[in-house]
Amino acid sequence: MKEQSNLLEKDLKMPHDKDTSHWHEPAGHKKAGYGVFKKQPTPYDAWMEQEGLPVFRDVGIDKVQNLPLVDWKRTGGKGHFIQLYGTETKWGCYVVEVPGAGALHPEKHMYEEIYLVVEGRGTTEVWQEGDTKKHVFEWQKGSMFSIPINAWHRIVNATSSGALLLAGTTAPNVLNMLQNKDAVFNNPFVFRDRFNGADDFYKASDEIEADPVRGLAMRRTNFIPDVMTCDLPLDNRRSPGYRRIEPFMTNNCFYFWIGQHENGRYSRAHAHTSAAVLICLNGKGYTYTWPEDEGETPWKDGKEHLVRRIDYEPVGLVSAAPGGARWYHQHFSAGSEALRLTAWFGPHNPGRDPGAPGSKHTDYTAQDVTEGGTTIPYWLEDPHIRKEYQELLQKNSVPDRMDPDWYNIPAQFMEKFGPKK
């Protein structure tokens, strides 16, 4: 076991070029260091390599079902890691296939984990170290659930064909800090405050309350039977008729929400920093994303080559801000059904923004750029966006439900943004 726990540390020792291994003080007024350097693998990067799975790296993917799966010895299934641009060191992601009529190996770990069932149905067993009773619940395609931190769990497939699950974890945060696999996978501490074995622990709850940070709709539940059809209260923050809920699971720091744009409509572009990954649950759509410092109208300004577009269907993924700094991103419902998405942030939720306790923060992604926020109102967006969207809806025989009045400049902004006389 000691040899295993030292593998991570051993792999992190990078060989040095004998011509550059010794440090020297800079001569004269020159600055120390190389100036330009290559990013080194993190402990989490080294761990992924040790697990023997491929790692998908890009801005997004049209559907995770297309990822090739490789035998995953540690889990007893097959898998593929996913590390979209902008999520490095933020949180981890992978898909795992549970063998038909089989199960994954029991495991526990010192990081949080949520699952979305992509295909199949089965059960999950959860228990604490030393407990004789196992808590068992059933899941199906579209179910979401959370594993309490460091609780034992085993995922069992109830069908003869493979069951595919998408997982989000805080493994990078923990592995990069502890740099020791024994401390992560063989830690004896029991979090009774996260999982006490209550019979109703995985009973779905539909009660809605206001989240304590921004006052948005929140639902405390450790299990969602079907994220494709669960009720979403009206929100209106991203587009007219937009609906949204924040599930809060197993006292996690891992933050996510589920939202839905009506068919024939699209969201207003808004900017924030990296961490968020949008996952398509229902319908078809696409996302545009571009650096905030390139302006609000990249096509009009001849910067369309800097815009990235990802088209997706269930279960496709896109990184909202793949470059680290703030990026604009805009999501479009392109099919006959409403576009339902879930956004995973890892532990990087709005309640953890920098600032002293009690200091005032604003929900800047919900405020227009004319109000000091980062949302581009429809009337201020690049004209290319509306034109392209209308052509796409017509091609797909989908009714255009964007009200023309939304593109009219409000009277109070006419002098500044209206036609010049």
Side-chain angles (χ1 to χ4, degrees):
M1 190 62 68
K2 183 178 180 180
E3 180 180 352
Q4 180 186 16
S5 66
N6 289 331
L7 284 174
L8 193 61
E9 292 84 343
K10 181 179 179 181
D11 285 357
L12 290 174
K13 294 180 180 179
M14 305 298 293
H16 293 285
D17 188 315
K18 57 185 177 182
D19 295 328
T20 61
S21 60
H22 297 288
W23 185 84
H24 299 280
E25 289 187 353
H29 295 288
K30 293 183 178 180
K31 297 178 181 178
Y34 302 126
V36 177
F37 55 91
K38 292 182 179 179
K39 180 182 179 298
Q40 298 300 305
T42 66
Y44 180 71
D45 293 324
W47 177 74
M48 286 194 293
E49 183 175 353
Q50 292 168 15
E51 292 293 286
L53 300 186
V55 182
F56 179 85
R57 300 181 190 274
D58 206 332
V59 175
I61 183 173
D62 60 346
K63 54 189 300 185
V64 299
Q65 296 91 318
N66 291 335
L67 290 173
L69 301 176
V70 176
D71 288 337
W72 196 351
K73 182 179 179 181
R74 185 178 62 83
T75 67
K78 294 184 176 182
H80 199 124
F81 283 115
I82 301 170
Q83 195 75 73
L84 297 191
Y85 297 155
T87 65
E88 299 89 353
T89 74
K90 302 282 188 178
W91 59 279
C93 187
Y94 65 86
V95 287
V96 62
E97 183 184 70
V98 187
L104 299 183
H105 298 324
E107 67 170 335
K108 67 182 180 74
H109 40 67
M110 287 289 290
Y111 53 80
E112 298 173 352
E113 189 164 41
I114 64 171
Y115 282 104
L116 167 64
V117 181
V118 179
E119 296 173 351
R121 59 183 177 84
T123 59
T124 294
E125 304 167 352
V126 184
W127 69 99
Q128 295 283 28
E129 184 75 42
D131 289 353
T132 57
K133 177 185 176 181
K134 294 183 179 180
H135 197 104
V136 182
F137 62 93
E138 297 180 351
W139 44 260
Q140 62 183 354
K141 180 179 179 180
S143 294
M144 277 195 71
F145 57 90
S146 174
I147 302 298
I149 188 170
N150 214 35
W152 281 101
H153 55 281
R154 187 173 81 118
I155 298 177
V156 183
N157 187 354
T159 67
S160 58
S161 57
L164 187 67
L165 288 80
L166 176 69
T169 78
T170 57
N173 314 80
V174 179
L175 279 162
N176 290 344
M177 181 177 292
L178 298 183
Q179 301 186 38
N180 185 290
K181 290 195 296 186
D182 266 353
V184 176
F185 293 99
N186 295 298
N187 194 309
F189 190 84
V190 176
F191 291 83
R192 292 289 177 187
D193 57 333
R194 296 290 193 103
F195 179 58
N196 58 15
D199 291 338
D200 62 349
F201 190 82
Y202 281 104
K203 181 181 179 181
S205 173
D206 294 328
E207 294 184 13
I208 297 175
E209 60 183 279
D211 85 77
V213 179
R214 293 186 291 173
L216 302 176
M218 184 180 80
R219 182 173 290 145
R220 294 179 185 270
T221 183
N222 303 318
F223 176 69
I224 303 174
D226 188 358
V227 294
M228 318 295 186
T229 60
C230 67
D231 180 59
L232 303 179
L234 187 64
D235 182 89
N236 281 335
R237 293 162 71 251
R238 293 287 176 252
S239 64
Y242 176 68
R243 311 186 77 85
R244 180 185 185 277
I245 193 71
E246 294 178 7
F248 182 56
M249 294 185 164
T250 62
N251 288 318
N252 282 344
C253 292
F254 197 108
Y255 174 76
F256 72 101
W257 51 254
I258 303 167
Q260 179 172 293
H261 299 279
E262 297 186 17
N263 66 315
R265 290 181 179 172
Y266 62 89
S267 76
R268 290 178 283 262
H270 52 283
H272 56 65
T273 54
S274 61
V277 168
L278 279 295
I279 303 167
C280 179
L281 298 174
N282 195 50
K284 291 185 178 181
Y286 61 96
T287 290
Y288 276 131
T289 181
W290 69 94
E292 182 187 34
D293 57 12
E294 299 299 342
E296 299 155 6
T297 54
W299 290 269
K300 184 178 178 181
D301 299 335
K303 299 178 179 180
E304 65 271 13
H305 61 287
L306 299 176
V307 181
R308 290 296 304 268
R309 170 172 170 161
I310 297 294
D311 290 77
Y312 43 74
E313 57 186 274
V315 172
L317 282 64
V318 59
S319 178
R326 295 204 315 203
W327 282 53
Y328 283 120
H329 38 279
Q330 195 162 9
H331 318 300
F332 301 79
S333 176
S336 58
E337 297 180 286
L339 178 63
R340 180 167 290 212
L341 306 166
T342 178
W344 294 5
F345 291 71
H348 304 274
N349 65 61
R352 294 179 180 269
D353 286 341
S359 58
K360 183 178 179 180
H361 284 231
T362 59
D363 195 359
Y364 63 86
T365 67
Q367 297 181 359
D368 288 353
V369 292
T370 56
E371 303 170 320
T374 66
T375 292
I376 304 174
Y378 294 123
W379 57 269
L380 198 57
E381 70 181 14
D382 198 301
H384 168 84
I385 291 174
R386 181 186 183 187
K387 180 177 182 295
E388 181 187 56
Y389 188 66
Q390 288 178 327
E391 292 174 351
L392 178 65
L393 293 183
Q394 185 175 12
K395 178 182 177 181
N396 293 344
S397 300
V398 177
D400 184 353
R401 304 183 63 239
M402 298 294 293
D403 190 329
D405 286 343
W406 299 339
Y407 298 94
N408 295 330
I409 302 174
Q412 68 267 33
F413 297 114
M414 185 60 70
E415 182 177 348
K416 182 176 181 180
F417 296 100
K420 303 301 179 183
K421 297 181 180 179

PDB file of all heavy atoms in Angstrom, residues 171-193:
ATOM      1  N   ALA A 171     -12.384  15.785  -7.400  1.00  0.00           N
ATOM      2  CA  ALA A 171     -11.127  15.053  -7.278  1.00  0.00           C
ATOM      3  C   ALA A 171      -9.900  15.920  -7.564  1.00  0.00           C
ATOM      4  O   ALA A 171      -8.897  15.805  -6.848  1.00  0.00           O
ATOM      5  CB  ALA A 171     -11.143  13.825  -8.200  1.00  0.00           C
ATOM      6  N   PRO A 172      -9.907  16.784  -8.598  1.00  0.00           N
ATOM      7  CA  PRO A 172      -8.710  17.614  -8.824  1.00  0.00           C
ATOM      8  C   PRO A 172      -8.377  18.496  -7.629  1.00  0.00           C
ATOM      9  O   PRO A 172      -7.206  18.660  -7.279  1.00  0.00           O
ATOM     10  CB  PRO A 172      -9.098  18.463 -10.046  1.00  0.00           C
ATOM     11  CG  PRO A 172     -10.165  17.698 -10.729  1.00  0.00           C
ATOM     12  CD  PRO A 172     -10.932  17.017  -9.632  1.00  0.00           C
ATOM     13  N   ASN A 173      -9.390  19.062  -6.995  1.00  0.00           N
ATOM     14  CA  ASN A 173      -9.155  19.952  -5.860  1.00  0.00           C
ATOM     15  C   ASN A 173      -8.473  19.211  -4.719  1.00  0.00           C
ATOM     16  O   ASN A 173      -7.558  19.725  -4.074  1.00  0.00           O
ATOM     17  CB  ASN A 173     -10.483  20.545  -5.383  1.00  0.00           C
ATOM     18  CG  ASN A 173     -11.340  21.048  -6.527  1.00  0.00           C
ATOM     19  OD1 ASN A 173     -12.005  20.266  -7.194  1.00  0.00           O
ATOM     20  ND2 ASN A 173     -11.323  22.340  -6.785  1.00  0.00           N
ATOM     21  N   VAL A 174      -8.909  17.974  -4.461  1.00  0.00           N
ATOM     22  CA  VAL A 174      -8.379  17.199  -3.336  1.00  0.00           C
ATOM     23  C   VAL A 174      -7.022  16.592  -3.670  1.00  0.00           C
ATOM     24  O   VAL A 174      -6.070  16.691  -2.894  1.00  0.00           O
ATOM     25  CB  VAL A 174      -9.384  16.104  -2.929  1.00  0.00           C
ATOM     26  CG1 VAL A 174      -8.833  15.269  -1.785  1.00  0.00           C
ATOM     27  CG2 VAL A 174     -10.716  16.724  -2.529  1.00  0.00           C
ATOM     28  N   LEU A 175      -6.909  15.953  -4.840  1.00  0.00           N
ATOM     29  CA  LEU A 175      -5.645  15.318  -5.224  1.00  0.00           C
ATOM     30  C   LEU A 175      -4.532  16.346  -5.388  1.00  0.00           C
ATOM     31  O   LEU A 175      -3.379  16.091  -5.009  1.00  0.00           O
ATOM     32  CB  LEU A 175      -5.825  14.532  -6.511  1.00  0.00           C
ATOM     33  CG  LEU A 175      -6.452  13.149  -6.372  1.00  0.00           C
ATOM     34  CD1 LEU A 175      -6.978  12.636  -7.707  1.00  0.00           C
ATOM     35  CD2 LEU A 175      -5.439  12.162  -5.803  1.00  0.00           C
ATOM     36  N   ASN A 176      -4.855  17.496  -5.942  1.00  0.00           N
ATOM     37  CA  ASN A 176      -3.825  18.517  -6.141  1.00  0.00           C
ATOM     38  C   ASN A 176      -3.340  19.097  -4.820  1.00  0.00           C
ATOM     39  O   ASN A 176      -2.196  19.547  -4.712  1.00  0.00           O
ATOM     40  CB  ASN A 176      -4.363  19.652  -7.020  1.00  0.00           C
ATOM     41  CG  ASN A 176      -4.561  19.229  -8.466  1.00  0.00           C
ATOM     42  OD1 ASN A 176      -4.041  18.199  -8.906  1.00  0.00           O
ATOM     43  ND2 ASN A 176      -5.316  20.012  -9.211  1.00  0.00           N
ATOM     44  N   MET A 177      -4.186  19.073  -3.809  1.00  0.00           N
ATOM     45  CA  MET A 177      -3.790  19.616  -2.509  1.00  0.00           C
ATOM     46  C   MET A 177      -3.072  18.571  -1.651  1.00  0.00           C
ATOM     47  O   MET A 177      -2.012  18.828  -1.090  1.00  0.00           O
ATOM     48  CB  MET A 177      -5.010  20.157  -1.764  1.00  0.00           C
ATOM     49  CG  MET A 177      -4.695  20.759  -0.397  1.00  0.00           C
ATOM     50  SD  MET A 177      -6.148  21.476   0.414  1.00  0.00           S
ATOM     51  CE  MET A 177      -6.452  22.872  -0.676  1.00  0.00           C
ATOM     52  N   LEU A 178      -3.648  17.370  -1.554  1.00  0.00           N
ATOM     53  CA  LEU A 178      -3.072  16.343  -0.680  1.00  0.00           C
ATOM     54  C   LEU A 178      -1.875  15.632  -1.310  1.00  0.00           C
ATOM     55  O   LEU A 178      -0.955  15.213  -0.606  1.00  0.00           O
ATOM     56  CB  LEU A 178      -4.144  15.322  -0.301  1.00  0.00           C
ATOM     57  CG  LEU A 178      -5.345  15.848   0.477  1.00  0.00           C
ATOM     58  CD1 LEU A 178      -6.295  14.711   0.836  1.00  0.00           C
ATOM     59  CD2 LEU A 178      -4.898  16.583   1.740  1.00  0.00           C
ATOM     60  N   GLN A 179      -1.919  15.434  -2.629  1.00  0.00           N
ATOM     61  CA  GLN A 179      -0.836  14.782  -3.363  1.00  0.00           C
ATOM     62  C   GLN A 179      -0.488  13.405  -2.780  1.00  0.00           C
ATOM     63  O   GLN A 179       0.670  13.015  -2.728  1.00  0.00           O
ATOM     64  CB  GLN A 179       0.411  15.682  -3.395  1.00  0.00           C
ATOM     65  CG  GLN A 179       0.167  17.026  -4.038  1.00  0.00           C
ATOM     66  CD  GLN A 179       1.432  17.842  -4.204  1.00  0.00           C
ATOM     67  OE1 GLN A 179       2.490  17.306  -4.504  1.00  0.00           O
ATOM     68  NE2 GLN A 179       1.323  19.150  -4.008  1.00  0.00           N
ATOM     69  N   ASN A 180      -1.527  12.704  -2.346  1.00  0.00           N
ATOM     70  CA  ASN A 180      -1.308  11.377  -1.781  1.00  0.00           C
ATOM     71  C   ASN A 180      -2.583  10.555  -1.977  1.00  0.00           C
ATOM     72  O   ASN A 180      -3.641  10.903  -1.446  1.00  0.00           O
ATOM     73  CB  ASN A 180      -0.964  11.490  -0.290  1.00  0.00           C
ATOM     74  CG  ASN A 180      -0.603  10.142   0.303  1.00  0.00           C
ATOM     75  OD1 ASN A 180      -1.463   9.281   0.458  1.00  0.00           O
ATOM     76  ND2 ASN A 180       0.663   9.967   0.653  1.00  0.00           N
ATOM     77  N   LYS A 181      -2.486   9.469  -2.726  1.00  0.00           N
ATOM     78  CA  LYS A 181      -3.670   8.686  -3.051  1.00  0.00           C
ATOM     79  C   LYS A 181      -4.231   7.941  -1.850  1.00  0.00           C
ATOM     80  O   LYS A 181      -5.449   7.745  -1.753  1.00  0.00           O
ATOM     81  CB  LYS A 181      -3.353   7.711  -4.188  1.00  0.00           C
ATOM     82  CG  LYS A 181      -3.143   8.393  -5.529  1.00  0.00           C
ATOM     83  CD  LYS A 181      -3.196   7.406  -6.682  1.00  0.00           C
ATOM     84  CE  LYS A 181      -2.071   6.411  -6.616  1.00  0.00           C
ATOM     85  NZ  LYS A 181      -2.048   5.546  -7.826  1.00  0.00           N
ATOM     86  N   ASP A 182      -3.379   7.507  -0.925  1.00  0.00           N
ATOM     87  CA  ASP A 182      -3.880   6.832   0.275  1.00  0.00           C
ATOM     88  C   ASP A 182      -4.780   7.759   1.080  1.00  0.00           C
ATOM     89  O   ASP A 182      -5.811   7.341   1.616  1.00  0.00           O
ATOM     90  CB  ASP A 182      -2.707   6.367   1.149  1.00  0.00           C
ATOM     91  CG  ASP A 182      -2.324   4.932   0.840  1.00  0.00           C
ATOM     92  OD1 ASP A 182      -3.043   4.290   0.054  1.00  0.00           O
ATOM     93  OD2 ASP A 182      -1.304   4.466   1.360  1.00  0.00           O
ATOM     94  N   ALA A 183      -4.395   9.034   1.178  1.00  0.00           N
ATOM     95  CA  ALA A 183      -5.189  10.002   1.930  1.00  0.00           C
ATOM     96  C   ALA A 183      -6.540  10.241   1.274  1.00  0.00           C
ATOM     97  O   ALA A 183      -7.496  10.617   1.944  1.00  0.00           O
ATOM     98  CB  ALA A 183      -4.429  11.316   2.052  1.00  0.00           C
ATOM     99  N   VAL A 184      -6.628   9.982  -0.031  1.00  0.00           N
ATOM    100  CA  VAL A 184      -7.867  10.218  -0.770  1.00  0.00           C
ATOM    101  C   VAL A 184      -8.756   8.976  -0.788  1.00  0.00           C
ATOM    102  O   VAL A 184      -9.959   9.054  -0.550  1.00  0.00           O
ATOM    103  CB  VAL A 184      -7.564  10.670  -2.210  1.00  0.00           C
ATOM    104  CG1 VAL A 184      -8.851  10.815  -3.018  1.00  0.00           C
ATOM    105  CG2 VAL A 184      -6.793  11.985  -2.208  1.00  0.00           C
ATOM    106  N   PHE A 185      -8.159   7.804  -1.054  1.00  0.00           N
ATOM    107  CA  PHE A 185      -8.951   6.595  -1.252  1.00  0.00           C
ATOM    108  C   PHE A 185      -8.953   5.641  -0.050  1.00  0.00           C
ATOM    109  O   PHE A 185      -9.717   4.679  -0.028  1.00  0.00           O
ATOM    110  CB  PHE A 185      -8.450   5.837  -2.486  1.00  0.00           C
ATOM    111  CG  PHE A 185      -8.696   6.567  -3.773  1.00  0.00           C
ATOM    112  CD1 PHE A 185      -7.685   7.307  -4.370  1.00  0.00           C
ATOM    113  CD2 PHE A 185      -9.943   6.544  -4.383  1.00  0.00           C
ATOM    114  CE1 PHE A 185      -7.906   7.994  -5.556  1.00  0.00           C
ATOM    115  CE2 PHE A 185     -10.179   7.221  -5.559  1.00  0.00           C
ATOM    116  CZ  PHE A 185      -9.162   7.951  -6.149  1.00  0.00           C
ATOM    117  N   ASN A 186      -8.121   5.898   0.943  1.00  0.00           N
ATOM    118  CA  ASN A 186      -8.063   5.006   2.099  1.00  0.00           C
ATOM    119  C   ASN A 186      -8.126   5.799   3.408  1.00  0.00           C
ATOM    120  O   ASN A 186      -7.487   5.449   4.398  1.00  0.00           O
ATOM    121  CB  ASN A 186      -6.791   4.157   2.069  1.00  0.00           C
ATOM    122  CG  ASN A 186      -6.765   3.211   0.887  1.00  0.00           C
ATOM    123  OD1 ASN A 186      -7.616   2.333   0.753  1.00  0.00           O
ATOM    124  ND2 ASN A 186      -5.792   3.397   0.003  1.00  0.00           N
ATOM    125  N   ASN A 187      -8.883   6.860   3.400  1.00  0.00           N
ATOM    126  CA  ASN A 187      -9.010   7.706   4.581  1.00  0.00           C
ATOM    127  C   ASN A 187     -10.116   7.146   5.478  1.00  0.00           C
ATOM    128  O   ASN A 187     -11.241   6.919   5.018  1.00  0.00           O
ATOM    129  CB  ASN A 187      -9.338   9.141   4.153  1.00  0.00           C
ATOM    130  CG  ASN A 187      -9.158  10.141   5.270  1.00  0.00           C
ATOM    131  OD1 ASN A 187      -9.672   9.952   6.366  1.00  0.00           O
ATOM    132  ND2 ASN A 187      -8.440  11.218   4.993  1.00  0.00           N
ATOM    133  N   PRO A 188      -9.860   6.913   6.759  1.00  0.00           N
ATOM    134  CA  PRO A 188     -10.850   6.276   7.630  1.00  0.00           C
ATOM    135  C   PRO A 188     -11.926   7.214   8.167  1.00  0.00           C
ATOM    136  O   PRO A 188     -12.890   6.751   8.784  1.00  0.00           O
ATOM    137  CB  PRO A 188      -9.997   5.744   8.781  1.00  0.00           C
ATOM    138  CG  PRO A 188      -8.852   6.711   8.865  1.00  0.00           C
ATOM    139  CD  PRO A 188      -8.559   7.092   7.441  1.00  0.00           C
ATOM    140  N   PHE A 189     -11.811   8.517   7.935  1.00  0.00           N
ATOM    141  CA  PHE A 189     -12.758   9.442   8.546  1.00  0.00           C
ATOM    142  C   PHE A 189     -14.164   9.218   7.989  1.00  0.00           C
ATOM    143  O   PHE A 189     -14.361   9.057   6.784  1.00  0.00           O
ATOM    144  CB  PHE A 189     -12.337  10.890   8.315  1.00  0.00           C
ATOM    145  CG  PHE A 189     -13.144  11.873   9.121  1.00  0.00           C
ATOM    146  CD1 PHE A 189     -12.803  12.161  10.430  1.00  0.00           C
ATOM    147  CD2 PHE A 189     -14.270  12.488   8.589  1.00  0.00           C
ATOM    148  CE1 PHE A 189     -13.548  13.050  11.192  1.00  0.00           C
ATOM    149  CE2 PHE A 189     -15.020  13.384   9.336  1.00  0.00           C
ATOM    150  CZ  PHE A 189     -14.661  13.664  10.647  1.00  0.00           C
ATOM    151  N   VAL A 190     -15.153   9.227   8.873  1.00  0.00           N
ATOM    152  CA  VAL A 190     -16.551   9.029   8.500  1.00  0.00           C
ATOM    153  C   VAL A 190     -17.308  10.345   8.675  1.00  0.00           C
ATOM    154  O   VAL A 190     -17.348  10.904   9.773  1.00  0.00           O
ATOM    155  CB  VAL A 190     -17.207   7.927   9.366  1.00  0.00           C
ATOM    156  CG1 VAL A 190     -18.685   7.807   9.030  1.00  0.00           C
ATOM    157  CG2 VAL A 190     -16.496   6.599   9.133  1.00  0.00           C
ATOM    158  N   PHE A 191     -17.916  10.829   7.606  1.00  0.00           N
ATOM    159  CA  PHE A 191     -18.674  12.076   7.630  1.00  0.00           C
ATOM    160  C   PHE A 191     -20.140  11.771   7.949  1.00  0.00           C
ATOM    161  O   PHE A 191     -20.983  11.670   7.064  1.00  0.00           O
ATOM    162  CB  PHE A 191     -18.573  12.798   6.281  1.00  0.00           C
ATOM    163  CG  PHE A 191     -17.211  13.355   5.970  1.00  0.00           C
ATOM    164  CD1 PHE A 191     -16.214  12.544   5.432  1.00  0.00           C
ATOM    165  CD2 PHE A 191     -16.926  14.690   6.218  1.00  0.00           C
ATOM    166  CE1 PHE A 191     -14.960  13.051   5.135  1.00  0.00           C
ATOM    167  CE2 PHE A 191     -15.679  15.205   5.933  1.00  0.00           C
ATOM    168  CZ  PHE A 191     -14.680  14.393   5.393  1.00  0.00           C
ATOM    169  N   ARG A 192     -20.444  11.641   9.225  1.00  0.00           N
ATOM    170  CA  ARG A 192     -21.829  11.359   9.618  1.00  0.00           C
ATOM    171  C   ARG A 192     -22.748  12.531   9.303  1.00  0.00           C
ATOM    172  O   ARG A 192     -23.956  12.355   9.114  1.00  0.00           O
ATOM    173  CB  ARG A 192     -21.893  11.036  11.108  1.00  0.00           C
ATOM    174  CG  ARG A 192     -21.223   9.729  11.499  1.00  0.00           C
ATOM    175  CD  ARG A 192     -22.016   8.527  11.026  1.00  0.00           C
ATOM    176  NE  ARG A 192     -21.333   7.274  11.356  1.00  0.00           N
ATOM    177  CZ  ARG A 192     -21.739   6.082  10.951  1.00  0.00           C
ATOM    178  NH1 ARG A 192     -22.837   5.990  10.200  1.00  0.00           N
ATOM    179  NH2 ARG A 192     -21.074   4.992  11.274  1.00  0.00           N
ATOM    180  N   ASP A 193     -22.188  13.752   9.247  1.00  0.00           N
ATOM    181  CA  ASP A 193     -23.010  14.910   8.929  1.00  0.00           C
ATOM    182  C   ASP A 193     -23.390  14.936   7.457  1.00  0.00           C
ATOM    183  O   ASP A 193     -24.354  15.605   7.070  1.00  0.00           O
ATOM    184  CB  ASP A 193     -22.287  16.204   9.308  1.00  0.00           C
ATOM    185  CG  ASP A 193     -20.932  16.331   8.628  1.00  0.00           C
ATOM    186  OD1 ASP A 193     -20.324  15.292   8.310  1.00  0.00           O
ATOM    187  OD2 ASP A 193     -20.478  17.476   8.435  1.00  0.00           O
TER     188      ASP A 193
END
